[in-house]
């Protein structure tokens, strides 16, 4: 694979970013792609290792060494075919996946992993530019009907696979546009939404029907779906946010991260303020912003706040500050715990770790946040005596993750069993719930996770549904 001595001759060189002063002026993507010769050079570093751990590191099991080699040889069209054989939407993962494949790369032992994510993104972007990506309608129809509830990455992957297998697929989305959190939870500066739109066009040409502004359990009952479709696939995500249960959390300017991000994404899409913010505009302009939660959603709030013109942005994390560098002997090839600094952090942000929030300060609205430092002793959290402090705040954004799928409406009506964590109970062999007519995949089944895991589960659930409907399936797992 690649060039036998490529990894010895060339260092890792990943894509760059536009200057922060420039990129903060807009919401467009700002990654600077490599020219083709540089991509071929980076692909040549794939070292023909005896056991390609990147296969296991990638949740969709991308055949990474193969398409690296094809890029090195300049055979982009075949590289695209290999890439699409395991991943329906590499333009999504090539932009927003944290790349566990790179953590598993053999060259990561010396902190020089192959730039797998960049190469993946370049392959699919070239495929669109060259017109190689076209609809793949089935040769014949089965007459079977499938309702997919939710149009995030799991729902889209399941729908596309099932349509290509010949089934009549209808995707139901409660929001006004398809995409789920891809559309409204991820800022445009990380992934522009025309990428979702062109996939929707492709899927419609393959026979998928989209019904937006239709919430199952509210506008349409589950019983109605069961009566009109042979199978239902639940792919509604994990949208029940973890709550901040401290005094003052009810004040008007303590808001959910998803509401904040969704409003800005709708403005970027051209919606007027009434449509983008029906409950009232939520912006960081001219405010001291505190983001509670140290993950990717919190980072997205940081980047959006800075673009809106926040006076200051502080991100708080309850866990201790992770190490700058992992211990390879203990972690490789698994995903390591280490400090990760995003492009949004680099644009301007104070980060504080091992901080517990105690009380939101303010009478009619937020004016500050009382906190205390904590330490972990024998796995238990303890407050550090005398470490109390108060931060100035005008807006507090809650980015503390999700506890599972929303139960009201859809799941209450479906009546399917839940696992101990509150997710829909279904295994990863047949993805079938306690109701044999209903299947589940993605975050609604596994809990809050990555886009790449959602795509994997959508693909695998599609095969399980096809097998249940037809007794056999040609779809890959």
């Amino acid at each position: 694979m690649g060039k036998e001595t490529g990894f010895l001759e060339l260092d890792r060189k990943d894509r760059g970013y536009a200057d922060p002063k420039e990129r903060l002026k807009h919401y467009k993507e700002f990654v600077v792609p490599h020219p083709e010769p540089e991509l071929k050079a980076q692909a040549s570093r794939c070292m023909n290792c005896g056991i390609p751990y990147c296969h296991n590191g990638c949740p969709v099991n991308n055949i990474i060494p193969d398409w690296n080699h094809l890029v090195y040889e300049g055979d982009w069209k075949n590289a695209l075919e290999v890439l699409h054989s395991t991943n329906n939407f590499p333009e999504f993962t090539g932009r927003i996946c944290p790349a566990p494949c790179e953590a598993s790369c053999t060259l990561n032992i010396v902190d020089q992993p192959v730039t797998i994510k960049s190469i993946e993104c370049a392959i699919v972007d070239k495929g669109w530019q060259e017109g190689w990506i076209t609809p793949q309608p089935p040769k014949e129809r089965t007459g079977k009907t499938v309702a997919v509830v939710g149009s995030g990455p799991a729902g889209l992957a399941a729908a596309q696979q099932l349509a290509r297998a010949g089934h009549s697929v209808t995707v139901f989305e409660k929001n006004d546009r398809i995409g789920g959190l891809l559309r409204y939870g991820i800022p445009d500066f990380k992934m522009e939404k025309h990428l979702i739109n062109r996939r929707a066009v492709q899927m419609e040409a393959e026979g998928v029907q989209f019904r937006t502004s239709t919430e199952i359990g509210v506008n349409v009952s589950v019983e109605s779906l069961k009566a009109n479709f042979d199978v239902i696939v639940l792919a509604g995500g994990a949208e029940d946010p973890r709550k901040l249960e401290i005094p003052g959390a009810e004040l008007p300017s303590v808001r959910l991260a998803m509401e904040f991000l969704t409003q800005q994404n709708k403005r970027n899409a051209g919606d007027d303020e009434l449509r983008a913010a029906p409950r009232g505009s939520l912006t960081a302009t001219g405010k001291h912003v505190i983001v509670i939660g140290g993950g990717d959603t919190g980072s997205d709030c940081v980047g959006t706040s800075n673009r809106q013109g926040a006076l200051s942005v502080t991100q708080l994390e309850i866990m201790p500050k992770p190490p700058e560098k992992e211990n390879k002997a203990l972690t490789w090839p698994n995903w390591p715990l280490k400090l990760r600094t995003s492009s949004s952090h680099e644009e301007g942000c104070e980060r504080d770790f091992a901080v517990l929030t105690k009380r939101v300060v303010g009478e009619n609205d937020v004016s500050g946040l009382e906190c205390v430092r904590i330490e972990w002793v024998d796995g238990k959290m303890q407050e550090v005596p005398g470490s109390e402090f108060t931060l100035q705040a005008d807006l507090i954004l809650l980015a503390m993750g999700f506890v599972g799928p929303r139960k009201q409406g859809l799941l209450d009506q479906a009546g399917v069993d839940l696992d101990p964590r509150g997710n829909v109970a279904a295994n990863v062999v047949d993805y079938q719930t306690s109701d044999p007519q209903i299947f589940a995949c993605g975050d609604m089944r596994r809990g809050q996770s990555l886009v790449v895991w959602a795509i994997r589960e959508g693909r695998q659930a599609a095969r399980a549904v096809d097998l249940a409907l037809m007794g056999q399936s040609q779809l890959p797992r």
Side-chain angles (χ1 to χ4, degrees):
M1 294 299 164
K3 185 180 181 182
E4 292 293 336
T5 57
F7 72 98
L8 296 171
E9 299 171 10
L10 296 167
D11 288 334
R12 170 185 169 93
K13 183 181 178 183
D14 209 348
R15 297 172 292 185
Y17 297 145
D19 185 90
K21 293 179 181 177
E22 291 302 316
R23 68 189 196 230
L24 281 172
K25 297 176 182 178
H26 59 78
Y27 290 89
K28 297 185 182 298
E29 292 180 15
F30 53 81
V31 173
V32 181
H34 283 315
E36 190 167 315
E38 185 62 51
L39 283 162
K40 293 174 69 173
Q42 287 298 306
S44 78
R45 299 182 64 249
C46 195
M47 62 182 294
N48 199 17
C49 51
I51 300 176
Y53 286 97
C54 56
H55 285 184
N56 288 337
C58 174
V60 293
N61 302 123
N62 276 334
I63 313 170
I64 294 163
D66 295 58
W67 45 255
N68 274 336
H69 185 69
L70 289 166
V71 168
Y72 169 56
E73 291 188 326
D75 191 352
W76 291 85
K77 194 168 186 178
N78 276 325
L80 178 67
E81 185 174 344
V82 174
L83 178 56
H84 267 149
S85 70
T86 56
N87 187 350
N88 294 65
F89 314 117
E91 65 268 43
F92 302 165
T93 52
R95 285 169 168 82
I96 60 175
C97 184
C101 54
E102 293 188 14
S104 296
C105 177
T106 302
L107 285 173
N108 191 40
I109 295 174
V110 290
D111 286 319
Q112 287 278 311
V114 175
T115 56
I116 299 169
K117 179 177 173 180
S118 296
I119 296 167
E120 173 186 33
C121 196
I123 293 170
V124 69
D125 284 354
K126 188 175 183 65
W128 283 107
Q129 291 164 10
E130 298 293 334
W132 297 333
I133 301 175
T134 57
Q136 299 178 34
K139 294 180 180 178
E140 57 185 31
R141 296 288 178 180
T142 65
K144 302 294 185 180
T145 57
V146 181
V148 176
V149 182
S151 68
L156 291 177
Q160 185 167 59
Q161 293 294 94
L162 286 166
R164 290 176 175 178
H167 306 305
S168 296
V169 182
T170 303
V171 177
F172 294 88
E173 171 56 55
K174 69 178 184 296
N175 290 312
D176 57 348
R177 300 177 177 93
I178 71 160
L181 291 187
L182 285 171
R183 171 78 63 178
Y184 288 133
I186 294 172
D188 285 17
F189 57 79
K190 287 176 66 174
M191 193 186 89
E192 294 180 21
K193 303 309 179 272
H194 68 86
L195 302 171
I196 304 172
N197 298 341
R198 68 186 180 188
R199 278 295 180 185
V201 171
Q202 179 197 35
M203 291 174 66
E204 286 176 332
E206 294 169 347
V208 177
Q209 297 182 47
F210 293 104
R211 289 184 58 181
T212 57
S213 301
T214 306
E215 184 170 359
I216 306 303
V218 177
N219 307 113
V220 177
S221 69
V222 174
E223 283 303 313
S224 175
L225 283 193
K226 293 181 71 174
N228 288 283
F229 292 88
D230 295 311
V231 165
I232 300 170
V233 178
L234 302 181
E239 295 186 323
D240 190 9
R242 184 172 283 107
K243 296 176 176 60
L244 181 66
E245 297 180 345
I246 61 174
E250 72 284 354
L251 289 172
S253 292
V254 180
R255 307 290 280 273
L256 295 173
M258 279 302 131
E259 182 184 8
F260 176 68
L261 296 172
T262 296
Q263 285 194 12
Q264 188 55 54
N265 279 7
K266 287 192 171 188
R267 294 185 192 104
N268 294 344
D271 290 358
D272 60 32
E273 201 61 20
L274 182 61
R275 186 175 178 187
R279 293 182 54 222
S281 295
L282 173 58
T283 67
T285 308
K287 297 176 181 177
H288 296 283
V289 179
I290 295 179
V291 179
I292 302 178
D296 290 339
T297 301
S299 170
D300 294 342
C301 289
V302 170
T304 302
S305 296
N306 280 326
R307 280 163 178 76
Q308 290 182 354
L311 291 178
S312 68
V313 184
T314 303
Q315 186 178 22
L316 304 179
E317 168 58 53
I318 195 170
M319 298 300 292
K321 185 176 181 179
E324 297 276 350
K325 188 180 185 314
E326 73 271 31
N327 184 332
K328 302 288 186 183
L330 293 178
T331 62
W332 184 86
N334 297 317
W335 182 250
L337 174 66
K338 67 177 182 179
L339 183 65
R340 303 179 192 278
T341 300
S342 71
S343 58
S344 291
H345 293 140
E346 293 171 347
E347 292 164 0
C349 171
E350 291 293 327
R351 304 170 73 186
D352 207 347
F353 295 85
V355 173
L356 178 67
T357 58
K358 297 291 288 183
R359 183 175 75 92
V360 178
V361 181
E363 294 184 8
N364 297 321
D365 207 347
V366 173
S367 62
L369 181 65
E370 290 184 2
C371 307
V372 64
R373 302 206 174 274
I374 58 172
E375 57 185 358
W376 297 82
V377 180
D378 296 328
K380 295 182 179 180
M381 183 178 68
Q382 295 181 0
E383 296 183 12
V384 177
S387 66
E388 298 83 0
F389 63 99
T390 301
L391 295 170
Q392 183 180 358
D394 306 302
L395 174 63
I396 298 174
L397 298 173
L398 307 182
M400 303 178 297
F402 302 88
V403 296
R406 296 191 304 170
K407 309 303 186 295
Q408 62 273 26
L410 173 62
L411 294 185
D412 285 345
Q413 288 187 20
V416 294
D417 291 346
L418 305 179
D419 68 17
R421 297 173 60 202
N423 303 315
V424 177
N427 63 46
V428 294
V429 176
D430 61 21
Y431 286 87
Q432 197 171 63
T433 70
S434 56
D435 184 328
Q437 193 179 351
I438 301 177
F439 294 70
C441 62
D443 288 6
M444 183 165 269
R445 190 206 68 82
R446 67 180 287 116
Q448 177 186 341
S449 190
L450 302 175
V451 167
V452 67
W453 273 108
I455 294 173
R456 171 196 174 115
E457 294 218 349
R459 288 172 60 88
Q460 291 188 341
R463 177 181 168 84
V465 169
D466 189 37
L467 191 61
L469 288 173
M470 307 303 294
Q472 60 181 356
S473 179
Q474 298 301 313
L475 292 175
R477 270 185 65 83

